[in-house]
Amino acid sequence: MVQLIQDFDKEVKIVKASESAVTVYFGVEIRIDLHQKVKALMTYLENKQFPWLVEVIPAFSSVTILYNPFQTPGTCSPSDYVCQKLKDCIMALKKEDNQKVRTVTIPVCYGGSFGPDLSIVAKHNQLSPEEVIDIHSSGEYLVYMVGFAPGFPYLGGMSNRIATPRKEQPRMEIPKGSVGIAGVQTGVYSISTPGGWQLIGRTPLELFLKDEDPPSLLQSGDVVRFQPITSEEYWEYKEGSD
């Protein structure tokens, strides 16, 4: 079942994904304005606490809603009921002019043993390593979603000037805190894991806090800035956080 509705003067598609799930598509592109709508709907649904709502799963430009079909009134099919409720929710949402956005500054020690692929990124883009660092650390990045590994942020907004393909042969283990580039995206490895991103630096900041609630330092909708630090500052930070 597919319904087309209007929201924020743009077409929104609600698609039945299964007998207990529907997906709301605000578009198919990776854009900040679309993700803001994703975040707004996710927050709205979580605050409403509908009895039929099981889970809300955000992506770049869509939201998947898992629901309990036995918690709907029974006046129509469960999917029709949930789709209508979602339509009502979306139509009720209004953009806030002074929406508060959380900004998180992440210290990064670029290059050297912390960023062994910095020279590869520089060579690929015909830049110096210092120029890559300057471009990467001067941007603002939106956290579109957290996934792949616990606390791993998918960040949008990186300059095309430093875009670099993934490695052909992934590393078997990447240290947690490593900052990498893959195509036009940048991200931070929250835990030690295999991966194929080009590593340009490392942060001493812990992104996955298993004893905290929520355990991820970064959340969808946050804005990230990277702050260059020296290796001495990196180790001072690590010692201070232990």
Side-chain angles (χ1 to χ4, degrees):
M1 180 190 66
V2 176
Q3 288 185 324
L4 296 182
I5 60 177
Q6 295 293 319
D7 177 44
F8 305 127
D9 298 322
K10 289 194 175 182
E11 192 176 73
V12 178
K13 184 188 294 184
I14 302 178
V15 178
K16 179 181 177 181
S18 72
E19 294 303 319
S20 59
V22 294
T23 300
V24 179
Y25 291 95
F26 290 102
V28 294
E29 300 174 83
I30 299 177
R31 297 204 325 249
I32 290 178
D33 62 320
L34 297 181
H35 192 69
Q36 286 173 338
K37 295 177 183 180
V38 168
K39 182 69 174 178
L41 179 58
M42 181 180 70
T43 302
Y44 188 89
L45 290 171
E46 289 175 344
N47 289 339
K48 283 292 184 181
Q49 296 184 333
F50 294 112
W52 46 264
L53 183 64
V54 176
E55 188 176 0
V56 183
I57 306 172
F60 287 112
S61 57
S62 65
V63 186
T64 295
I65 295 91
L66 307 184
Y67 63 90
N68 184 345
F70 299 105
Q71 290 291 326
T72 57
T75 53
C76 59
S77 73
S79 58
D80 284 343
Y81 176 82
V82 172
C83 283
Q84 183 58 51
K85 280 295 183 182
L86 290 173
K87 177 179 177 179
D88 294 342
C89 292
I90 293 169
M91 298 303 289
L93 285 171
K94 294 182 180 179
K95 275 188 172 180
E96 298 180 9
D97 293 334
N98 299 315
Q99 185 180 11
K100 292 183 179 179
V101 176
R102 187 173 73 128
T103 299
V104 179
T105 299
I106 296 180
V108 178
C109 182
Y110 288 94
S113 60
F114 291 149
D117 301 324
L118 178 62
S119 59
I120 294 175
V121 174
K123 184 177 180 180
H124 178 79
N125 292 284
Q126 299 182 326
L127 298 168
S128 67
E130 292 74 22
E131 287 174 317
V132 172
I133 295 171
D134 183 64
I135 294 169
H136 188 264
S137 62
S138 63
E140 287 193 347
Y141 304 89
L142 178 69
V143 180
Y144 279 100
M145 59 183 178
V146 177
F148 159 64
F152 183 96
Y154 283 89
L155 306 176
M158 192 186 76
S159 171
N160 287 327
R161 295 174 61 198
I162 54 175
T164 309
R166 295 169 180 261
K167 286 189 165 300
E168 293 184 5
Q169 285 285 354
R171 291 182 171 92
M172 294 304 296
E173 183 175 3
I174 291 178
K176 71 176 179 179
S178 295
V179 179
I181 289 175
V184 295
Q185 283 193 300
T186 186
V188 185
Y189 282 83
S190 52
I191 61 174
S192 179
T193 179
W197 292 38
Q198 305 285 354
L199 306 183
I200 62 172
R202 193 184 306 170
T203 179
L205 204 61
E206 294 283 346
L207 269 65
F208 177 58
L209 310 166
K210 62 183 180 65
D211 296 324
E212 300 292 329
D213 184 20
S216 175
L217 172 68
L218 299 174
Q219 302 297 317
S220 173
D222 288 345
V223 170
V224 168
R225 294 173 179 162
F226 293 108
Q227 175 64 48
I229 60 173
T230 64
S231 58
E232 290 80 7
E233 290 172 320
Y234 176 95
W235 292 115
E236 286 175 5
Y237 189 101
K238 289 291 285 185
E239 291 170 3
S241 62
D242 291 339

